[in-house]
Amino acid sequence: MANLMLLPVILSFLILPFSAMALTQDFCVADLPRGDTPAGYPCKAHVSADDFYYNGLAVAGNTNNLFNITGTTAFVNQFPGVNGLGISAARADIGVGGVVPLHTHPAATELIFVTQGTIVAAFISSDSNTVYSKTLNKGDIMVFPQGLLHYQYNIGALPAVLLVAFSGPNPGLQITVSALFANNIPSDVLQKLTFLDDAQVKKYKSMLGGTA
Ligand SMILES: *[C@@H]1O[C@H](CO)[C@@H](O)[C@H](O)[C@H]1NC(C)=O
């Protein structure tokens, strides 16, 4: 009998933690000004529809550069609404003859959708260096597994445009030639790393903005 009388008390203790857990959080729009932390961005207190909307991919990027490309990103830093949602986007404009040089996104798988033009896209496996290469036309998609080296280049007579989806809000980007030649790795070390000769190393350093 005493046990039965205690039942409501026991139940309330059992239910309380579960009801607290049941308060699911629909989203956590990144509060960018408060800064990133090891646990991620703090959540913005007051959100509106604008936090889940971004028009920065609507405009074609300028392709007047070494690779004749522009990547326009809608990562968490530009589009704080994707914070915590395991997704982000980008737009790639690849001018005629342009190339998105060999690169990786350490923190996300990538899916491209060609909205205009004709490109070749490929990734390289890490276990056997197998190249998985395809020609893509308007409407085609291709997926690049997380962390693997990949590249794209325009083989058409018109600029190519890709809509890009990533499986994380902050995919990261490391371009291989920049990692080698856009910094201060000494030329003699780069010769060892690449088998290139001194003149070639200096040429690439000067093209990519590295220091001797
Ligand atoms: C490619 O970039 C160069 C500058 O590096 C520029 O002169 C050329 O017009 C660009 N071509 C295209 C198709 O964007």
Side-chain angles (χ1 to χ4, degrees):
M1 201 58 192
N3 279 349
L4 271 185
M5 283 165 67
L6 279 175
L7 204 56
V9 181
I10 293 164
L11 274 181
S12 67
F13 276 106
L14 281 175
I15 288 166
L16 265 176
F18 285 105
S19 53
M21 281 166 67
L23 289 174
T24 57
Q25 197 178 350
D26 283 342
F27 46 76
C28 172
V29 174
D31 195 346
L32 296 180
R34 286 167 66 201
D36 206 357
T37 77
Y41 282 102
C43 307
K44 197 174 164 186
H46 303 287
V47 303
S48 72
D50 283 343
D51 290 300
F52 303 98
Y53 163 88
Y54 187 60
N55 62 9
L57 305 190
V59 186
N62 183 347
T63 58
N64 252 326
N65 53 57
L66 187 59
F67 299 112
N68 285 128
I69 54 161
T70 305
T72 311
T73 54
F75 297 172
V76 65
N77 286 339
Q78 298 83 39
F79 186 23
V82 296
N83 185 54
L85 300 183
I87 197 167
S88 63
R91 169 190 177 131
D93 288 277
I94 313 177
V96 175
V99 56
V100 184
L102 196 65
H103 66 283
T104 67
H105 306 284
T109 286
E110 170 178 346
L111 186 146
I112 62 170
F113 174 81
V114 179
T115 65
Q116 181 184 305
T118 304
I119 64 164
V120 170
F123 70 86
I124 304 167
S125 74
S126 71
D127 53 354
S128 59
N129 289 311
T130 303
V131 181
Y132 295 88
S133 176
K134 285 295 290 181
T135 297
L136 282 78
N137 293 295
K138 180 176 176 173
D140 293 347
I141 67 173
M142 186 167 175
V143 69
F144 306 90
Q146 177 166 347
L148 296 189
L149 287 162
H150 58 284
Y151 56 89
Q152 293 101 2
Y153 58 93
N154 189 346
I155 57 166
L158 296 169
V161 182
L162 317 182
L163 174 62
V164 189
F166 291 98
S167 65
N170 206 1
L173 168 65
Q174 187 167 39
I175 298 172
T176 306
V177 284
S178 302
L180 286 168
F181 301 110
N183 53 31
N184 60 358
I185 299 177
S187 296
D188 59 324
V189 176
L190 279 174
Q191 289 174 54
K192 296 183 207 293
L193 295 181
T194 61
F195 302 118
L196 297 172
D197 64 32
D198 188 52
Q200 289 167 321
V201 165
K202 290 195 167 120
K203 174 181 149 189
Y204 297 133
K205 271 185 173 284
S206 111
M207 281 172 75
L208 289 149
T211 52

